[in-house]
Amino acid sequence: MTLAALPPWLMAVIASFIVLNVVIGMVTYVTLLERKFAARMQSRIGPYRVGPHGLLQPIADALKLMMKEDVVPTAADRHVYNLAPIVFLIPCMLIFATIPFAPGLGVADVNIGILFFLAVSAMEIVGLFMAGWGSNNKYALLSAMRAVNQIISYDLPFIFSALVPVLLAGSLKMSDIAAVQQGSLLKWFIFYPVIGQLAFIMFIVSTLAAENRVPFDILEAESELVAGFRVEYSGMKFALIQLGEYAHMIGSSFLGALLFLGAWSGPGPEYLGPLWFLLKAMFVFLFVTWIRWSFVRIRVDQILALSWKALLPATLALLIATAVVVVWRTSAGI
Amino acid sequence: MRESNGTEITTIVGAVLRAMGATLKNLFRKPITVHYPDKERTYPSRYRGLLALTYDKDTGEENCIGCRLCEYVCPPAVIKVEMLKAEKRNYAKTFTLELYACEFCELCVQVCPTDAIVMMKSFDMPTADRREMLLDKDRLHAIGLKYEPSWATGNLLRDMQTPPKAPAPAHKPAATSPSSADPVVPRVETA
Amino acid sequence: MLDVNETTRVEMDWSGPERLQMNMGPQHPSAHGVFRAILGLQGETVVDVDAVIGYLHRCHEKLSETLTYAQYPSIASKTDYVAAMTSEFAYVMAAEEIGKFEVPRRAQYLRVIVAELQRIASHLLWLGTWCMDMGGALGGGATIFLYCIREREDILDLFEALVGARLLYGFFQVGGTRYDIPDGWIEKCRATIDRIDSRVGEYEQMLEDNAFFLARTQGVGVVSRELAQDVGIAGPLLRGSGVNFDLRKNVPYSSYADFEFTVPVETAGDCYARYKVRMVEFREASGIIRQALDKLPSGPISSRPALKSVAQIRIPKGEAYARVEGPRGEVGSYIISDGSAKPYRMKWRGASFSNLSILPHIIPGHKVADVVAIMGSVDPVFGEVDR
């Protein structure tokens, strides 16, 4: 029985099962990568004792979270509180559906891939607010209100900066965008003169903000609102929220690698494509992490001002400029 | 909120790159972590660690004469001593030290006339029960034999604070091992 | 003249205000100790702050009446435990003032060296924790925190070589100091100071032009000159608001008159101004240490016999108030002696206690995130506040 003989729905189920498991496995080890990277930047060693050089640390963390007592505050809104981690997690996992890991190797490489990704990734805000509201805790509520403000403000620049490669490639389908960048290093959109670099920088900044990473992590702000909207969660529910956050983070890294860094293009034979894709996504992730561990955070009103007064006009202008350049190039034939 | 115009963009970008560059530079520096307890860092010779009672180097007798000066000077009053009188010299019948309440201020070491109580160059006494840190005389002597003593003994500390006027001191302050010798910067008595 | 009992309340002119009372409780990652601030919030703006202290009260002043002058300096370090040397300094100076004891030159220079090293160490901790409060324990703030702690460890190593202890020393004694410097300490001290100077330059580079940092600290927590003088704050808070007052220059004690240093003064009064004052103080402290090491006289380190028994130090009847410029401000010790080996009464003037009284005047009107920035720049240590 060849793969092509399986009914399409079964193939989709198998593919999504594999992708989900791989994503969960990657999320746990990406936390270790971040911890070791951050530690080295701070003149210390990260996890070291659990397993050789800390390689079993994520497993230990996962086991610990699974074994923890599930504490639910008495006055919490039970249904909202219990549903919130799931509602938060689902969009963060769903975004992996449209990413093609190699030509033809993806769960659902739809024609509107980018649109689906951007729309679904913005839905995590619902779960976030549910968590903050259902906890019946002033700190959580404050954090949830800040989160709504921030994520909504930064989704627009995120979308606009992600649309620049769409314009350059001329298609919303993810594999098309990746296909245009194949061939040589200079075809990667990040090397597109001026527009590519600007778009990449704005993409990174918007990702940081949509991800609640420092310098835009006012909503978790450990030193003010300890853990923000997650403060009342423990055990497996907390693990789901963590999973969702890091999955979104990795998803955005994969998107960045696909849009700007040429996805699976790289030296060597074709089957190494997904490996290059992974390495590029990790590079984007580490870049974001590097920024995270270098700056202090800014206040929520400053974050919003930065978005509405600076980033949104800039991305809009960039998008219009890209459109002009694309039209001029097609008409001039270059 | 600062207005952003053309010239400020360069300052902002420059500052961002400088900060990121500093973090990157530290990425390639060797970490300063010491893998305790596999490796220990070198403790200085005056380190104030665990407390211990000592024996005389020449005769092997206990140094402590039960004078209770350490008991009186201890600020949190963790030392309890009972004196035992004998013909030639006195001893300490019991000597209890509550290490869990000790402040490690070294005043007991400072006042001891016979250098009986000293501090060690180690703090290694992990325990799950605080009652195990109530040290009696036997345990204090055992600690004294187990670890390396710090340079500071009563007479040395008192000589450092006020050097003896006589050129030939009656006690020998150089009775410490050469590796932990801590000669003080030579001083001249000035007016 | 300002009525200092009148705290500021900001009335927001919205219809139907929804006021939220939020407790920044005694257990809080950025409370700098145990401090409770009951914030009245309107949206994201603080309109009201009620400061509650006393969670770390350990009855120091009563305790000092039961401990002799020989025993208490080791305990005095526990008031301002971050800058233990300056706390002991105040107590010992007050006792010496009553008894009119002369302190030998070498001891005075050692005291100055140690106090300035402690100032550098305390400011390193301040910078680290402030940036961590503003940047998050999982974020850039933690990076700067760990760098500052890495540098502070070098200074603590120096203290460890000198005294044997890293945080709470018992270095000072009435009449002089208890320890003299060991071999090789001077060279190590010079090398450490040079290294710290260059690293502090790195931090300045990381923070100075940083738009995020400036956005968080400029214009935040402005203390006007009149407010500063009326409320009675001291230290970098006062000097950040334009008042040129430093005990080391205005009321020189110990051997500070022998050294050349400048006192940084900024006029803006906001968190950034206080930051700049402390950064310059790093450099000035290093300068003082270098001068002291160059000119270190030889001689005894104590003018009294070595400590042999607990009631050895008796001070005649009298009373005195001694003040020391600690890293946080003026640390003062007022002793009334009745001729015995223990004081009749001892009172601490805690620098952070007086500095905290500025909070109800400057916090209202700011956002919640600014509360931590302001608290960090006030730099309280609750051992000093609650004693």
Side-chain angles (χ1 to χ4, degrees):
Chain A
M1 182 165 74
T2 64
L3 279 177
L6 287 173
W9 61 267
L10 188 58
M11 278 191 51
V13 165
I14 295 176
S16 28
F17 182 74
I18 295 176
V19 165
L20 272 179
N21 280 304
V22 166
V23 164
I24 293 181
M26 242 193 343
V27 160
T28 48
Y29 273 88
V30 143
T31 54
L32 180 68
L33 174 69
E34 175 168 24
R35 283 167 76 169
K36 303 256 342 161
F37 185 69
R40 288 286 163 155
M41 284 203 290
Q42 294 168 347
S43 287
R44 57 184 178 93
I45 313 174
Y48 188 74
R49 296 229 148 235
V50 185
H53 284 279
L55 282 175
L56 293 180
Q57 178 78 39
I59 315 263
D61 283 341
L63 282 175
K64 172 202 76 165
L65 284 171
M66 281 193 249
M67 295 195 305
K68 266 199 169 170
E69 179 186 356
D70 196 18
V71 176
V72 177
T74 342
D77 196 338
R78 305 215 61 151
H79 301 293
V80 174
Y81 179 85
N82 288 332
L83 274 180
I86 305 171
V87 175
F88 182 75
L89 178 66
I90 290 179
C92 301
M93 291 293 199
L94 213 51
I95 52 180
F96 285 95
T98 54
I99 299 183
F101 296 102
L105 191 74
V107 177
D109 193 15
V110 293
N111 280 341
I112 50 161
I114 296 274
L115 180 65
F116 183 83
F117 188 105
L118 297 172
V120 167
S121 78
M123 273 171 49
E124 64 165 7
I125 186 68
V126 177
L128 211 148
F129 194 73
M130 280 170 72
W133 180 266
S135 302
N136 196 31
N137 180 336
K138 284 177 198 160
Y139 284 102
L141 187 65
L142 203 59
S143 148
M145 293 193 306
R146 287 176 177 178
V148 170
N149 272 331
Q150 180 181 318
I151 295 186
I152 290 181
S153 314
Y154 276 91
D155 261 341
L156 281 174
F158 186 55
I159 292 172
F160 289 150
S161 56
L163 281 182
V164 168
V166 166
L167 275 182
L168 290 175
S171 159
L172 280 171
K173 194 168 175 187
M174 291 222 196
S175 46
D176 280 352
I177 302 177
V180 172
Q181 298 178 59
Q182 301 305 308
S184 82
L185 190 72
L186 289 178
K187 278 194 174 178
W188 292 2
F189 286 146
I190 193 177
F191 292 120
Y192 203 93
V194 181
I195 292 179
Q197 286 95 43
L198 285 179
F200 185 66
I201 293 174
M202 291 181 198
F203 179 82
I204 294 282
V205 172
S206 318
T207 302
L208 273 172
E211 274 312 307
N212 316 317
R213 303 256 116 175
V214 174
F216 306 110
D217 78 336
I218 196 70
L219 72 89
E220 49 183 34
E222 293 80 12
S223 33
E224 303 153 30
L225 320 167
V226 190
F229 67 95
R230 316 186 279 243
V231 70
E232 293 285 353
Y233 285 95
S234 65
M236 208 53 214
K237 296 200 189 111
F238 176 76
L240 286 180
I241 294 183
Q242 276 287 83
L243 203 66
E245 276 195 15
Y246 274 95
H248 193 188
M249 190 65 246
I250 299 177
S252 303
S253 311
F254 271 105
L255 185 72
L258 187 141
L259 288 177
F260 293 99
L261 294 177
W264 51 77
S265 98
E270 283 252 349
Y271 59 81
L272 281 186
L275 181 67
W276 289 115
F277 198 10
L278 179 69
L279 283 177
K280 288 174 204 172
M282 285 302 111
F283 168 74
V284 174
F285 176 76
L286 284 180
F287 189 72
V288 167
T289 302
W290 179 21
I291 297 181
R292 177 192 192 190
W293 292 93
S294 306
F295 295 108
V296 297
R297 71 169 66 93
I298 51 180
R299 272 197 334 248
V300 67
D301 57 327
Q302 293 161 345
I303 294 178
L304 297 178
L306 180 67
S307 161
W308 292 100
K309 289 192 205 167
L311 204 54
L312 186 61
T315 43
L316 210 49
L318 189 66
L319 198 59
I320 296 176
T322 314
V324 166
V325 163
V326 164
V327 165
W328 167 68
R329 284 185 77 168
T330 42
S331 68
I334 41 172
Chain B
M1 182 70 182
R2 285 148 59 95
E3 306 292 323
S4 71
N5 52 47
T7 54
E8 293 223 344
I9 298 282
T10 42
T11 339
I12 294 176
V13 169
V16 162
L17 289 177
R18 261 203 299 281
M20 287 172 69
T23 347
L24 195 67
K25 190 159 70 158
N26 276 288
L27 184 65
F28 299 114
R29 272 189 187 140
K30 195 167 173 308
I32 55 169
T33 323
V34 173
H35 290 195
Y36 186 85
D38 298 332
K39 298 189 185 68
E40 290 196 2
R41 64 180 178 103
T42 47
Y43 299 116
S45 59
R46 291 187 195 180
Y47 194 69
R48 290 183 191 171
L50 297 174
L51 286 139
L53 286 174
T54 55
Y55 294 106
D56 194 327
K57 276 207 173 340
D58 310 316
T59 64
E61 294 229 325
E62 298 165 359
N63 269 329
C64 178
I65 56 173
C67 66
R68 305 179 82 183
L69 278 173
C70 54
E71 179 177 347
Y72 297 136
V73 87
C74 180
V78 304
I79 303 183
K80 305 271 183 300
V81 185
E82 282 177 7
M83 188 197 271
L84 176 71
K85 282 192 188 294
E87 311 104 34
K88 302 255 175 61
R89 49 160 284 191
N90 298 326
Y91 291 90
K93 186 158 76 176
T94 59
F95 192 113
T96 31
L97 195 148
E98 299 171 78
L99 199 63
Y100 48 82
C102 173
E103 282 182 358
F104 295 87
C105 60
E106 218 170 29
L107 280 172
C108 54
V109 176
Q110 167 110 24
V111 301
C112 182
T114 55
D115 295 352
I117 188 167
V118 290
M119 295 182 95
M120 301 281 116
K121 278 212 253 185
S122 167
F123 52 86
D124 207 4
M125 189 184 273
T127 167
D129 189 351
R130 214 175 276 176
R131 288 170 291 187
E132 287 176 35
M133 290 173 76
L134 177 65
L135 305 173
D136 57 6
K137 197 163 161 230
D138 297 326
R139 283 189 68 188
L140 282 164
H141 276 299
I143 295 174
L145 295 171
K146 187 167 168 190
Y147 300 109
E148 196 188 327
S150 117
W151 170 86
T153 65
N155 285 304
L156 289 173
L157 285 176
R158 287 195 294 274
D159 286 348
M160 190 162 58
Q161 222 181 347
T162 305
K165 295 273 193 322
H171 55 270
K172 285 244 154 267
T176 53
S177 60
S179 61
S180 62
D182 201 42
V184 183
V185 175
R187 302 193 303 279
V188 171
E189 293 270 336
T190 60
Chain C
M1 184 82 163
L2 212 63
D3 180 5
V4 298
N5 295 317
E6 179 73 19
T7 61
T8 314
R9 262 162 233 271
V10 172
E11 291 301 330
M12 310 290 285
D13 52 357
W14 303 341
S15 59
E18 303 226 323
R19 201 167 272 209
L20 188 71
Q21 256 208 337
M22 191 165 93
N23 188 26
M24 240 174 92
Q27 293 124 337
H28 192 97
S30 65
H32 274 270
V34 275
F35 175 60
R36 182 170 176 211
I38 307 177
L39 303 171
L41 295 178
Q42 196 136 6
E44 186 84 16
T45 317
V46 178
V47 295
D48 200 352
V49 68
D50 192 6
V52 181
I53 57 175
Y55 291 91
L56 198 54
H57 181 60
R58 295 157 296 170
C59 316
H60 263 271
E61 298 180 357
K62 181 67 188 171
L63 192 65
S64 72
E65 293 172 19
T66 62
L67 295 172
T68 65
Y69 297 104
Q71 292 171 303
Y72 191 71
S74 306
I75 309 288
S77 16
K78 298 180 203 300
T79 52
D80 184 355
Y81 39 79
V82 171
M85 294 287 194
T86 39
S87 315
E88 298 176 21
F89 205 160
Y91 178 83
V92 160
M93 257 175 59
E96 286 161 1
E97 212 174 296
I98 306 179
K100 301 201 183 7
F101 299 138
E102 276 289 318
V103 179
R105 302 271 308 144
R106 186 179 172 87
Q108 285 187 344
Y109 272 61
L110 284 177
R111 285 180 175 185
V112 165
I113 292 174
V114 150
E116 294 304 310
L117 275 174
Q118 185 71 82
R119 190 181 311 273
I120 296 179
S122 169
H123 282 336
L124 279 169
L125 188 73
W126 157 77
L127 185 64
T129 50
W130 190 43
C131 288
M132 189 154 79
D133 288 343
M134 290 200 300
L138 296 174
T143 310
I144 301 183
F145 174 72
L146 283 168
Y147 295 161
C148 289
I149 293 294
R150 183 185 61 192
E151 265 54 273
R152 187 177 140 95
E153 287 294 312
D154 290 334
I155 297 188
L156 296 187
D157 284 346
L158 279 177
F159 283 147
E160 208 184 18
L162 175 66
V163 163
R166 277 161 33 98
L167 207 62
L168 301 169
Y169 311 106
F171 178 72
F172 288 73
Q173 197 61 255
V174 175
T177 65
R178 250 172 89 189
Y179 298 87
D180 202 340
I181 53 181
D183 251 7
W185 196 85
I186 296 187
E187 288 75 34
K188 219 165 41 155
C189 188
R190 276 191 224 271
T192 306
I193 303 269
D194 291 336
R195 188 166 62 238
I196 289 183
D197 262 352
S198 73
R199 292 287 170 89
V200 167
E202 260 183 45
Y203 309 147
E204 275 183 322
Q205 198 186 15
M206 259 179 92
L207 291 174
E208 206 88 339
D209 290 328
N210 200 331
F212 301 131
F213 181 73
L214 292 174
R216 279 306 288 274
T217 56
Q218 274 184 333
V220 169
V222 178
V223 178
S224 68
R225 203 193 146 108
E226 298 78 31
L227 182 67
Q229 286 176 308
D230 286 338
V231 168
I233 58 181
L237 266 137
L238 190 63
R239 293 195 281 278
S241 302
V243 181
N244 186 353
F245 184 76
D246 186 332
L247 283 171
R248 297 173 292 170
K249 275 255 190 268
N250 296 59
V251 187
Y253 54 93
S254 189
S255 52
Y256 275 105
D258 291 353
F259 303 115
E260 299 264 326
F261 59 100
T262 56
V263 170
V265 176
E266 300 270 330
T267 49
D270 57 6
C271 292
Y272 187 70
R274 298 191 272 274
Y275 156 85
K276 286 218 71 68
V277 164
R278 287 190 178 102
M279 295 310 264
V280 176
E281 281 187 0
F282 270 119
R283 300 272 156 62
E284 296 301 322
S286 318
I288 296 177
I289 296 173
R290 286 195 189 98
Q291 293 173 43
L293 287 175
D294 290 337
K295 300 197 280 193
L296 188 65
S298 45
I301 57 168
S302 177
S303 62
R304 318 238 328 133
L307 187 66
K308 284 202 179 75
S309 71
V310 63
Q312 187 177 328
I313 304 175
R314 274 171 208 278
I315 296 188
K317 266 199 198 173
E319 58 188 35
Y321 174 68
R323 352 155 52 173
V324 158
E325 178 75 22
R328 282 164 191 84
E330 174 180 326
V331 180
S333 174
Y334 175 64
I335 300 184
I336 303 180
S337 152
D338 61 355
S340 70
K342 303 183 187 177
Y344 174 72
R345 168 84 170 104
M346 198 276 291
K347 165 152 177 49
W348 278 109
R349 184 216 191 263
S352 306
F353 182 75
S354 310
N355 290 348
L356 272 189
S357 51
I358 197 103
L359 287 183
H361 295 273
I362 55 173
I363 287 186
H366 285 108
K367 304 264 186 304
V368 175
D370 292 329
V371 174
V372 281
I374 296 173
M375 283 280 305
S377 79
V378 163
D379 192 17
V381 166
F382 283 85
E384 248 185 343
V385 173
D386 295 333
R387 301 182 283 274

